[in-house]
Amino acid sequence: MSIHLQRELRSDHAGETGAVYIYKGIVAVATWRRDEEMLSFAKTHGVTEADHLKQIEHWLPPKQRSWLLGPWRLAGWLTGALPALFGRHAVYRTIAAVETFVDQHYQQQIDHLKEFGGPDGLLPLLLRCQADEQHHRDESAALAGEKSNLLLRAWCWTVGCGSAAAVVLARRV
């Protein structure tokens, strides 16, 4: 596997690790708030993200994984827990923002594989992961509705920028 693909898979592994912890953060707050709808949403999506993480781990040996998994877990947990403190609408908007970024990130990798090729089985995996993330994005956006205040828009912008910065860093370490 090329160095480029190893770096991309490292960023996917870091991202899916963060995603698992986003939902763990939501679960923690939803449990505390006794919000069954938010809890069900987070648990269902968390299962999908845990499966993505398991599949990426199949492709990326432990030695090639990010050294920053601890910070990715913490950042993910906070990215889920903080909006959950403000309720479902903030959670749904946050997930839509994260998944919008992830969809684009996977698309870049899919385009690269289509142009340059790669190991057998990797393209179908990324296509499946992308489809799941698109579903999460679309479901979250529909649940969030159209109204969004300035603070929440600023939060979602920050989440998108943070996701982009995390990818750059994860590719390197």
Side-chain angles (χ1 to χ4, degrees):
M1 183 178 325
S2 72
I3 296 294
H4 174 78
L5 286 179
Q6 288 175 8
R7 289 179 177 157
E8 290 301 315
L9 285 172
R10 182 181 306 121
S11 74
D12 293 345
H13 182 263
E16 295 298 349
T17 297
V20 166
Y21 278 82
I22 286 172
Y23 291 108
K24 287 182 183 225
I26 297 169
V27 164
V29 174
T31 300
W32 173 71
R33 290 180 61 131
R34 297 185 179 139
D35 185 329
E36 293 299 323
E37 182 181 322
M38 191 187 315
L39 188 61
S40 175
F41 172 86
K43 285 183 175 181
T44 300
H45 285 234
V47 166
T48 304
E49 301 300 348
D51 178 60
H52 292 176
L53 179 58
K54 181 180 172 186
Q55 297 300 317
I56 298 295
E57 285 178 341
H58 171 76
W59 283 90
L60 191 68
K63 286 184 174 184
Q64 293 176 3
R65 296 175 189 168
S66 175
W67 296 353
L68 301 174
L69 290 179
W72 301 143
R73 289 179 184 112
L74 177 60
W77 196 90
L78 290 171
T79 301
L82 291 175
L85 291 170
F86 294 92
R88 292 179 207 145
H89 182 72
V91 166
Y92 299 146
R93 281 274 172 223
T94 300
I95 297 305
V98 168
E99 299 299 17
T100 295
F101 173 81
V102 174
D103 175 35
Q104 295 165 356
H105 178 65
Y106 274 131
Q107 188 61 53
Q108 291 171 346
Q109 295 173 351
I110 289 164
D111 291 345
H112 178 85
L113 286 172
K114 286 181 177 178
E115 184 174 348
F116 300 105
D120 287 341
L122 183 56
L123 180 59
L125 170 64
L126 296 182
L127 287 166
R128 185 175 62 82
C129 289
Q130 182 189 39
D132 290 341
E133 307 298 4
Q134 290 168 336
H135 173 73
H136 289 179
R137 178 202 59 210
D138 296 346
E139 177 187 12
S140 298
L143 289 168
E146 293 190 25
K147 291 185 179 180
S148 183
N149 64 40
L150 181 61
L151 182 60
L152 187 52
R153 286 193 307 270
W155 165 253
C156 290
W157 178 84
T158 302
V159 166
C161 289
S163 297
V167 165
V168 170
L169 192 53
R171 284 177 178 146
R172 299 180 196 288
V173 290

